[in-house]
Amino acid sequence: MPTSPSDLPGPGAPDAAGRPDEVRAGVAVVGAGPAGLAAAVTAAGLGLRVALLDAGERPGGQFYRHPAPQLGAERPEALHHGWAAFAVRERALRAHTASGRVTYLPGHHVWTVVPQDAAPDAARDAAPAGGAAAGGAARRALAAWVLHAVAGPEERAVAVRARAVLLATGSYERQLPFPGWTLPGVVGAGGEQGLLKAGLVLPGRRVVVAGSGPLLLAVAGSLASAGARVPAVVEAAAYTGYAPALPALLRNPAKLAEGAVYGGALLRHGVRLLTRHAVTEAHGTDRVEAVTVARLDADWRPLPGTARRIPCDAVAVGHGLVPQLELATALGCATRRAADGTAALDLDALQRTSVPGIWSAGETGGIAGAQPALVEGEIAAHAVAGRPVPAALLRRRARLRAFADAMGRAHRPGEGWTGWLRDDTDVCRCEEVPAGRIREAVRDLGARDARTAKLLTRAGMGWCQGRMCGPAVAALAGEEQAPDRRPLSCPVPMRLLAGLPPADG
């Protein structure tokens, strides 16, 4: 049996289409966003054979989106912050792919990770990577893993076998519904950024940006620079929430400067910033024509008599992000409650999960942004390779994570936001379940958690599997959103399930 990930053989034989149906690697990295890309190129540079799987067709994830080539964008970097850091790693990925150190598999949706076998690795346990940074960590055995993926438009079955797995699956938007949020013209704030970066598309000419979190300022600045009029940025939190974290802010002057740049862009374009306000209703027939904005109290309850109407033809709304944990929780990885109220993976100093042989980096360990994700990807790669982690990386992660925690606490939704939900407001868009039905399940049928509410109302059983409505259903049921644990992280054709060997079933 190999004694380190780099000892495993390389990619398997390609199929008739020229792509491998089975790949063998020392470490399999899931996700080619900032964390996964940094982890893959760092691990390859340290001598590991890497398989990098990603659902997208190009590296960069949701943050570094590429305009379609036919659009002829001359400077795609103008729509991104920190493009240079990505460009360096993208070039390194090309070089490692050409040399055979990385097998890059775009268009591959990993739907499950299962253990192939488990065996102790005495040498690795005797000298854990990171030295003192790993102090007190339990001795862990490395497992061999099989990652099953659905590949390409033809939905081929692909298996990747690796001694270690690094999950960098990123996050998705947290949406808090309001009356009218199903109207055409209401888009996610992050989704709008994706439209602009990848398609050079504006959702409208007059776009209200609403929700909570630092992403709103970036979205508003991008829209205004691209030619849209932004009547207002409607922020539910108050920036005074950062005051208790002043030391963490001062240790991150670059982040403060970034915020100042966004604020300056709003001033130049004449964009109003309304803090401690929320969009409580969208109005229109065929599409959005206006929104109602109301002032909130400290718990995010709308204050009577403060509502005003703002004309617009689009709304970009989002209340932060939620770590995407399906693969990790299916493996039994432990989670914790992050500063912003979301469930995140419980990771040690070397980015290891509670399951031996599984590492993670980036948003899965708590929402923090692209810069911490890049750092954590490098830390995880050193740990997987059994190399000491540079102290500078550990210090930088601690500094950036402290800033991220401050942001999470400042923008964490208050409990009173459900006060703007009418009983006829659809909460689960897929199954068209209104808030009143969920409230009835809680009030009359004894639902005390999101799972019971789901079973009684079908909220969360639709195509998105609760990604859109999960936080709202949990809030109406009186609990914090718990991470889902499901055997399949994405839709899988039955023929692929039927074709699994018994040992992997």
Side-chain angles (χ1 to χ4, degrees):
M1 178 173 289
T3 58
S4 72
S6 58
D7 290 334
L8 285 178
D15 64 5
R19 294 195 225 173
D21 279 333
E22 181 170 303
V23 173
R24 293 181 179 270
V27 56
V29 179
V30 183
L37 183 59
V41 299
T42 302
L46 293 171
L48 301 189
R49 183 173 289 113
V50 180
L52 176 59
L53 302 94
D54 190 57
E57 294 300 328
R58 300 181 69 178
Q62 296 300 319
F63 189 83
Y64 296 111
R65 299 290 290 268
H66 302 259
Q70 58 267 32
L71 294 175
E74 296 180 357
R75 293 190 309 116
E77 66 275 11
L79 296 172
H80 295 79
H81 177 76
W83 181 266
F86 163 72
V88 168
R89 290 167 176 85
E90 186 185 34
R91 287 194 296 270
L93 175 63
R94 290 198 202 101
H96 287 310
T97 301
S99 69
R101 289 186 291 270
V102 174
T103 301
Y104 174 45
L105 301 171
H108 282 60
H109 298 256
V110 178
W111 56 268
T112 194
V113 180
V114 294
Q116 182 179 21
D117 57 45
D121 190 323
R124 291 283 293 276
D125 285 344
R139 293 164 62 89
R140 297 169 184 234
L142 286 182
W145 304 94
V146 182
L147 296 82
H148 291 288
V150 178
E154 68 276 21
E155 296 185 320
R156 294 182 300 110
V158 173
V160 175
R161 300 180 185 274
R163 282 297 296 261
V165 176
L166 198 158
L167 300 175
T169 47
S171 59
Y172 54 90
E173 287 197 79
R174 173 163 56 185
Q175 292 293 340
L176 305 183
F178 50 88
W181 77 310
T182 58
L183 280 170
V186 179
V187 300
E192 185 284 324
Q193 282 286 77
L195 284 172
L196 189 56
K197 291 178 178 179
L200 307 182
V201 173
L202 293 174
R205 301 305 303 177
R206 294 179 302 168
V207 187
V208 169
V209 178
S212 188
L215 176 63
L216 301 187
L217 301 181
V219 169
S222 297
L223 285 169
S225 298
R229 179 170 172 256
V230 181
V233 173
V234 185
E235 166 62 67
Y239 288 112
T240 54
Y242 284 89
L246 185 59
L249 303 185
L250 295 177
R251 288 198 301 272
N252 288 274
K255 301 298 291 184
L256 294 178
E258 183 182 337
V261 169
Y262 291 141
L266 299 190
L267 287 174
R268 285 196 308 275
H269 293 287
V271 178
R272 286 184 297 168
L273 176 61
L274 302 175
T275 60
R276 194 62 85 185
H277 282 73
V279 168
T280 58
E281 187 169 2
H283 310 277
T285 51
D286 295 332
R287 65 171 293 120
V288 174
E289 298 170 4
V291 294
T292 292
V293 173
R295 184 164 180 81
L296 306 179
D297 67 14
D299 290 324
W300 287 32
R301 291 180 179 86
L303 294 172
T306 64
R308 70 177 86 173
R309 186 175 288 217
I310 300 177
C312 62
D313 57 14
V315 185
V317 60
H319 294 82
L321 303 170
V322 179
Q324 189 155 328
L325 305 181
E326 291 91 342
L327 290 174
T329 53
L331 287 164
C333 297
T335 62
R336 63 180 179 87
R337 189 62 55 182
D340 60 1
T342 61
L345 292 181
D346 189 7
L347 305 173
D348 70 7
L350 298 179
Q351 301 296 133
R352 294 183 295 196
T353 72
S354 61
V355 175
I358 305 293
W359 281 258
S360 189
E363 308 286 54
T364 49
I367 304 303
Q371 292 179 26
L374 292 168
V375 174
E376 290 176 357
E378 293 185 21
I379 291 173
H382 279 82
V384 173
R387 303 291 184 86
V389 179
L393 285 178
L394 298 174
R395 289 194 299 269
R396 190 175 184 209
R397 179 186 59 188
R399 176 170 54 81
L400 291 170
R401 275 290 173 185
F403 188 88
D405 287 346
M407 288 193 301
R409 282 187 287 269
H411 295 280
R412 181 171 179 162
E415 295 180 356
W417 73 266
T418 56
W420 67 59
L421 283 179
R422 296 197 305 256
D423 280 350
D424 63 351
T425 304
D426 277 342
V427 171
C428 175
R429 301 165 67 123
C430 301
E431 295 292 316
E432 298 182 338
V433 180
R437 194 182 306 168
I438 300 171
R439 287 172 171 146
E440 179 186 24
V442 173
R443 183 183 63 246
D444 301 334
L445 303 177
R448 294 294 179 267
D449 55 65
R451 177 171 174 78
T452 306
K454 170 182 175 179
L455 294 174
L456 292 171
T457 67
R458 293 192 59 80
M461 289 189 179
W463 182 255
C464 81
Q465 289 293 283
R467 289 179 178 87
M468 287 286 286
C469 66
V473 174
L476 289 170
E479 69 163 1
E480 291 185 292
Q481 186 182 13
D484 283 334
R485 184 168 181 174
R486 59 184 78 233
L488 311 179
S489 69
C490 66
V492 184
M494 286 294 293
R495 59 182 170 78
L496 300 191
L497 297 177
L500 287 177
D504 292 344

